[in-house]
Amino acid sequence: MESMVEENGSAVDPLSAGSQSGDAAPAIATSVQSLNRTQQQTHHLVASTSIVQLTLPTSGATQVQSVIQPNQQSVIQTATNIQPVAISKGNVILVSKPNSVIQTAQASLQTLQVVETGSDDSFSDSEESPEQRGGILTRRPSYKKILNDLGGGEITVIPAGTIQIATQGEGVPGLHTLTMSNAATAGGAIVQYAQGQDTQFFVPVSDNVPAYTGHGVVVEDAARKRELRLLKNRQAARECRRKKKEYIKCLENRVAILENRNQTLIEELKSLKQLCEPKTD
DNA sequence: GGGGACCACCGTCATTTATT
DNA sequence: AATAAATGACGGTGGTCCCC
């Protein structure tokens, strides 16, 4: 089981999501590598990122705690950093992770409440079995939709020519800082982005400012539009990959928790069987 | 050191989905 | 319906590891 939650692990998905076309497309919870390489479709794998409430079996509290031990990084880690996790006696998990697919409405703070019940409705979320969907294969909702469903998917659009500075206090992990310079850059501005690897990118001028240069205006305009489209798509692809990786980690996390819970139940069943066995001596 | 296998990441295109 | 955004698919590149 540990291999399942290892960073970049190549665990087989026990959730066994079906593929859309019925061919040999692998399930989604394989490694990111296989995600990049295979023809897999994530259709029909309805997002389960609405896990904001973890329900533990009564006897499994200590076991499940082990699932979120800091040394099992991938269980609680995201693509960018290890999330600080505080577990109090009151079974509240606080996860600081901005821009998270599994983020809640409270900006950068996730609160996962662990409720001790014996219910088998644990981890109930938007995921339905194919039977529940009447066997109809549906495309998995977009990550944006997942975010919106969680109430944390607010996307800020910065109008052209303005600079937005986000201040959330000093030292807030994951705080994004944008610095824009318009000076002497033909047709656009350089934007510095303070988080992640892509620290700098080029932003062309707005579309409603035509690049009149005399000859070939139409051609240039078309080329410029194409450049803008490519730029936007490049950034969208980056963001999409980031979200996807986070989504995969979320699923892996869920698998780990379910595996652990399964083990707990097995142990519990064993002990109950022993209790029920007639004594032989 | 050279070469192959594997992995991670990227950019682009095509298509799907969401928004206006 | 038109447009924008999101995402799957594909091919390319660079890094690392291992074998010869």
Side-chain angles (χ1 to χ4, degrees), chain A residues 113-264:
Chain A
Q113 179 149 22
V114 182
V115 181
E116 295 191 29
T117 82
S119 168
D120 259 333
D121 291 332
S122 312
F123 311 107
S124 64
D125 47 34
S126 60
E127 187 168 273
E128 293 177 312
S129 68
E131 292 76 22
Q132 287 171 305
R133 282 187 295 269
I136 299 172
L137 297 177
T138 57
R139 187 184 175 95
R140 176 183 56 74
S142 72
Y143 300 115
K144 186 176 181 180
K145 184 164 170 52
I146 295 169
L147 268 172
N148 286 338
D149 288 346
L150 291 172
E154 189 171 329
I155 296 174
T156 304
V157 178
I158 304 174
T162 65
I163 298 174
Q164 175 163 334
I165 301 172
T167 35
Q168 239 181 328
E170 288 183 358
V172 176
L175 177 62
H176 295 200
T177 305
L178 285 175
T179 310
M180 223 168 169
S181 81
N182 296 329
T185 306
I190 299 294
V191 174
Q192 286 209 318
Y193 186 53
Q195 195 193 43
Q197 303 165 350
D198 308 301
T199 57
Q200 212 174 64
F201 52 90
F202 179 75
V203 178
V205 294
S206 172
D207 254 351
N208 52 20
V209 182
Y212 293 117
T213 58
H215 300 295
V217 171
V218 176
V219 174
E220 279 196 16
D221 194 53
R224 203 166 51 79
K225 278 184 178 173
R226 174 183 154 81
E227 277 304 307
L228 182 65
R229 182 169 49 80
L230 289 181
L231 172 72
K232 279 186 177 177
N233 189 248
R234 207 176 309 151
Q235 292 168 341
R238 263 188 227 133
E239 181 66 8
C240 186
R241 286 177 184 126
R242 187 190 66 77
K243 288 179 184 172
K244 188 174 182 176
K245 281 173 74 174
E246 197 169 332
Y247 176 67
I248 297 302
K249 282 192 183 300
C250 183
L251 287 181
E252 288 175 345
N253 179 17
R254 188 162 177 251
V255 168
I257 291 173
L258 288 173
E259 289 254 340
N260 204 303
R261 182 163 165 258
N262 191 37
Q263 192 59 40
T264 300

Side-chain angles (χ1 to χ4, degrees), chain A residues 92-113:
Chain A
V92 174
I93 306 172
L94 303 177
V95 183
S96 171
K97 181 68 180 88
N99 283 336
S100 168
V101 169
I102 56 174
Q103 172 181 17
T104 68
Q106 281 107 347
S108 62
L109 184 66
Q110 291 179 46
T111 301
L112 306 183
Q113 179 149 22

